[in-house]
Amino acid sequence: MSIAHGIKRLGVLGAGQMGTGIAFVSALYAKVPVLLHDKSAHQVSKGISLIDKLLAKDVSKGRLQPSDAEAVRARIQTVDAIEAMRDVDMVVEAVTENLDLKRAIFREFAAKIRPDAILATNTSSISITKIAGAVIPEGVSAAGEEGKAASGRVVGLHFFNPVPVMKLVELISAVQTSQDTLDRSRAFAEACGKEVATSQDVPGFVSNALLMPFINEAIMCLEKGVATRDDIDKTFRLGMAHPMGPLQLGEFIGLDTCLFIQQTLYKGTSDSKYRPSVLLERMVDAQYLGKKSGRGFYEYNN
């Protein structure tokens, strides 16, 4: 029997590619009003512009009627503070992969958003359990009823980039996450048109525990001169039918993001197989991050 998600209004914190994409599919498929917030007004403007372009494209391709596109756009509002999200039923955080930043945001969520709202993070590698610990009020026992109720509403909802295209959401339970939170979060992701895969709360979850070492090993092959950039990527495009090779994929993700996740895997497991490539570190030092910076192993005309 399906579980009704009960999300009548959604908050999204972060108007970058991920947050904007989550807002878009929530308004389009789940048909819920969305409040979108980012501390950068410029980023909000870029996010809304992207949503408008996505809707215009869907109309031009005949996938949406103009009236339906207008209805989707009307469901998405921008707000200038987390306090404006006070009455949402769920909020999804989609900011930079930084544990201290995310813990600070979730403490703010706990203080400013209604106490029964689901607090979801779109992290692709950071421990959900560590984030959940941040919402327990100071002086309250984590094992007591109040502490369990607070942390039990935190969950990992890992959407994939680009959100409007990728079909999967990874659902991750913290040690503290309640079954009701998991059931409603799964139902909401499905209402957004996604398939759901579950993972334990381990470094990188399923997706990045497998993907990042693959990309890292490809960079090591380049670093050691095993093969050229083009031949490494060609091997996987033509030999394994991958849509793009691992070097190019890493650059679409962002080499800085790849490095952060690889460092998280290495730190979280102490396993040498997760040690980041020296070349990957140097590329990030040089700010050659891939597509978003215009240069990585490839050059891009942004």
Side-chain angles (χ1 to χ4, degrees), residues 43-60:
Q43 191 61 59
V44 170
S45 177
K46 282 179 62 179
I48 292 299
S49 176
L50 175 60
I51 288 170
D52 289 341
K53 287 177 183 175
L54 290 170
L55 289 171
K57 183 177 180 180
D58 281 350
V59 169
S60 70

Side-chain angles (χ1 to χ4, degrees), residues 164-175:
V165 175
M166 304 304 281
K167 301 293 188 184
L168 187 70
V169 166
E170 209 169 17
L171 177 68
I172 308 100
S173 173
V175 168

Side-chain angles (χ1 to χ4, degrees), residues 133-280:
V135 307
I136 300 172
E138 189 174 350
V140 171
S141 168
E145 290 305 313
E146 185 179 353
K148 288 192 291 185
S151 58
R153 61 198 182 113
V154 176
V155 68
L157 269 185
H158 175 208
F159 289 79
F160 289 75
N161 188 34
V163 178
V165 175
M166 304 304 281
K167 301 293 188 184
L168 187 70
V169 166
E170 209 169 17
L171 177 68
I172 308 100
S173 173
V175 168
Q176 309 96 314
T177 307
S178 72
Q179 190 61 49
D180 179 66
T181 297
L182 284 172
D183 291 341
R184 293 178 61 203
S185 298
R186 174 186 286 275
F188 181 72
E190 290 171 346
C192 290
K194 305 302 183 185
E195 296 282 339
V196 177
T198 59
S199 172
Q200 296 289 322
D201 186 20
V202 298
F205 317 133
V206 171
S207 56
N208 281 323
L210 295 173
L211 176 62
M212 288 303 149
F214 166 57
I215 292 172
N216 191 57
E217 193 66 30
I219 296 171
M220 284 184 171
C221 283
L222 182 63
E223 180 183 333
K224 295 172 183 175
V226 173
T228 65
R229 173 200 72 181
D230 291 346
D231 281 347
I232 289 168
D233 278 355
K234 185 190 298 182
T235 297
F236 284 89
R237 286 199 318 272
L238 304 184
M240 284 79 170
H242 289 200
M244 65 178 71
L247 298 175
Q248 188 178 25
L249 175 58
E251 298 198 335
F252 273 68
I253 294 168
L255 295 180
D256 54 339
T257 300
C258 292
L259 176 59
F260 176 85
I261 296 171
Q262 198 67 24
Q263 289 170 332
T264 299
L265 293 171
Y266 189 34
K267 182 178 178 181
T269 64
S270 299
D271 191 330
S272 61
K273 73 181 180 183
Y274 294 125
R275 180 183 62 80
S277 159
V278 173
L279 178 57
L280 174 58

Side-chain angles (χ1 to χ4, degrees), residues 11 17 68 89 107 133 144 173 262 269 284:
Q17 268 195 316
D68 294 328
D89 301 291
R107 278 192 289 270
S173 173
Q262 198 67 24
T269 64
V284 174

